[in-house]
Amino acid sequence: MSPHAPIRRRPPPQTLHLARLAQGTPGEWVTLPGGLLRVLALGGKVAGPAASGWLTCLTGEAVLDLPHGEFVRLRPAEGYRVTSGEAWVALPVRSGTVLLLVPEEERGS
């Protein structure tokens, strides 16, 4: 290679803005391509899927209404482990609330 030849650089890898992706379809879980991750822009009350995993608040603030009169408040960067046997409902406390669900992979018997 010539010492004066231009260096060809690859374009930078593309990132995925999770909050914007979720806000494209408010109130509906969006599954990220190539994975199990799901994001949700809360526009109102939404029942959680029957899945075990970690639910994390990306933006805004949400309340998770749990069985037996219990609840959890999630602020940005806070997470809560949900289980498939525990029904829950998410309610936005602030506008622009986006949740990320990282489901656990089901284990074969």
Side-chain angles (χ1 to χ4, degrees):
M1 181 175 230
S2 164
H4 300 292
I7 297 174
R8 293 186 183 205
R9 296 186 181 191
R10 292 186 205 173
Q14 294 294 314
T15 61
L16 190 57
H17 194 284
L18 300 177
R20 262 187 264 150
L21 177 67
Q23 290 165 347
T25 54
E28 295 181 31
W29 287 98
V30 178
T31 303
L32 275 62
L36 300 172
L37 300 178
R38 301 177 198 174
V39 289
L40 170 71
L42 279 175
K45 186 173 166 178
V46 175
S52 295
W54 282 94
L55 186 66
T56 302
C57 181
L58 296 179
T59 62
E61 193 172 328
V63 169
L64 302 183
D65 188 7
L66 304 170
H68 313 294
E70 297 178 322
F71 70 93
V72 171
R73 186 173 209 146
L74 290 178
R75 294 173 184 92
E78 292 181 339
Y80 177 76
R81 187 173 180 281
V82 294
T83 61
S84 59
E86 178 181 61
W88 55 274
V89 174
L91 300 118
V93 174
R94 295 191 177 170
S95 64
T97 299
V98 175
L99 300 177
L100 168 69
L101 177 61
V102 182
E104 296 172 351
E105 292 188 44
E106 293 184 24
R107 298 177 188 179
S109 306

